[in-house]
Amino acid sequence: MTKSLNLVQFTDPHLFGDPARSLRGVPTLPALQATLAAAAADIAAADIILATGDLVQDDPAGYAHFRAELGRFGKPVLCIPGNHDDVPAMRAALAEAPFHFGGVHDARGWRLVMLDSTVPGRTGGRLDEDELAHLVQALGDAPDRHVLVCLHHHPLPMHSRWLDSVGLDNGPELLALLRDFPNVRGVVFGHVHQQEDRIVGGLRLIATPSTCSQFTPRSDDFAVDDRPPGWRTLQLQADGRIETAVHWVRNWQP
C-alpha cells in the first residue's frame, strides 16, 4: 500500500523584525512559536511543510524569525508570498534549503503547484498571465499525478463583504481553468484567517486559520474573531483523496 503524502500548513504569521511587536493585540512571533510547539507531533509526521503567505507584516526583517523557527525541523518548507510580503526580500531570505519559493514539487504520486497571487501595492490578488501559463504547464505535464494547487488569496467568495473585496480578482477564471484538469484534487489557500472546506463545481477549496489572529466569518465589516492560533494537517492519499483537519492552540493567552 502506497504511503500518503503528509503535509502540515501554517499561514499568515505576520512577523516583524522586532520580536515583541503585536498585530491586532497578538504578539505574532510568540503566537507562531506556540503554534509550532502545539503542532510538534504533526510536524514530526509531516513530509512537507506548507507556508502560504503573509509570512511578515510589511517588514522584511521578520523573515529571519521565520527562517529560524521553520528551518529547524529538517523538513522541506514550500513557501509562497502574500500581500504583506516583500517578494524580492522573501526570495533572498528563503533561497537555501530547506526552503523552496514557489515552483512545482512532486512526491508520492502527487504534484504540488505553488502560485504567486500577489500584486505589488495591493491587498487583493491576481494571477497574472505568466503565473497562469506556469499553472497550465504544470498541470499538463503531469496528467498521471494528483495535483494540489496552493496560493495565498481566496479564489471563491467567503460571504464576507470586506474580505471578498480583497480576494483573488480572477478567481472564477482560475476555478474554470482547474476544472479542465481532472487530476486537480484540491486548492489550498490562506489570507482569510479562518477555516473553510467547501466543494464548488467539483473542486475542493480549503482555507486555513492564521498562526496569529482570526477574522470573524461571514462579517460584512472587518472584525476579529476570538479563536486562537491554528494550523492544518493534510494527508494526500494515493487514490487522490484528501484527508484534512484544522487544529487550534489550546489555552492560548496573547
Side-chain angles (χ1 to χ4, degrees):
M1 184 175 182
T2 305
K3 184 182 176 185
S4 65
L5 180 64
N6 296 325
L7 313 178
V8 59
Q9 181 194 7
F10 302 105
T11 193
D12 297 86
H14 291 274
L15 300 172
F16 299 92
D18 180 350
R21 285 195 63 181
S22 295
L23 180 67
R24 306 182 193 99
V26 175
T28 61
L29 179 58
L32 175 62
Q33 291 168 333
T35 306
L36 296 177
D42 291 331
I43 296 170
D47 301 295
I48 293 171
I49 297 170
L50 296 180
T52 48
D54 280 356
L55 308 189
V56 303
Q57 178 67 17
D58 306 310
D59 182 358
Y63 292 124
H65 297 301
F66 180 84
R67 192 170 59 236
E69 295 297 333
L70 276 296
R72 58 191 169 88
F73 295 111
K75 310 275 184 174
V77 184
L78 310 187
C79 305
I80 48 175
N83 48 288
H84 287 284
D85 286 304
D86 180 320
V87 173
M90 182 176 166
R91 280 186 181 275
L94 305 178
E96 298 181 359
F99 300 99
H100 303 268
F101 184 101
V104 173
H105 305 271
D106 293 339
R108 293 192 192 139
W110 280 81
R111 169 162 287 192
L112 310 181
V113 182
M114 313 296 289
L115 298 176
D116 180 354
S117 60
T118 62
V119 180
R122 288 189 51 201
T123 304
R126 184 174 184 83
L127 294 170
D128 64 22
E129 291 184 6
D130 288 344
E131 205 68 5
L132 288 172
H134 156 65
L135 172 61
V136 169
Q137 181 173 351
L139 298 177
D141 286 349
D144 297 327
R145 286 186 175 273
H146 307 300
V147 176
L148 182 70
V149 175
C150 307
L151 72 163
H152 180 69
H153 292 87
H154 53 296
L156 78 167
M158 296 295 293
H159 307 295
S160 174
R161 184 176 59 191
W162 78 270
L163 189 55
D164 287 336
S165 71
V166 293
L168 189 73
D169 284 356
N170 53 346
E173 179 184 350
L174 170 65
L175 299 185
L177 184 159
L178 294 178
R179 290 186 190 108
D180 288 337
F181 293 88
N183 55 332
V184 176
R185 305 304 181 196
V187 181
V188 173
F189 53 95
H191 189 55
V192 298
H193 289 237
Q194 60 194 269
Q195 65 175 321
E196 184 64 82
D197 190 346
R198 198 188 317 171
I199 296 176
V200 178
L203 284 173
R204 191 169 182 185
L205 302 162
I206 300 169
T208 297
S210 166
T211 66
C212 60
S213 61
Q214 314 305 338
F215 298 149
T216 302
R218 298 177 180 267
S219 175
D220 280 346
D221 301 312
F222 177 84
V224 177
D225 204 355
D226 60 0
R227 299 301 299 264
W231 73 97
R232 181 180 287 279
T233 52
L234 302 106
Q235 290 80 43
L236 310 185
Q237 304 294 343
D239 61 3
R241 288 179 300 113
I242 300 174
E243 297 177 0
T244 184
V246 166
H247 311 269
W248 305 94
V249 177
R250 296 182 181 180
N251 303 315
W252 166 248
Q253 295 293 330

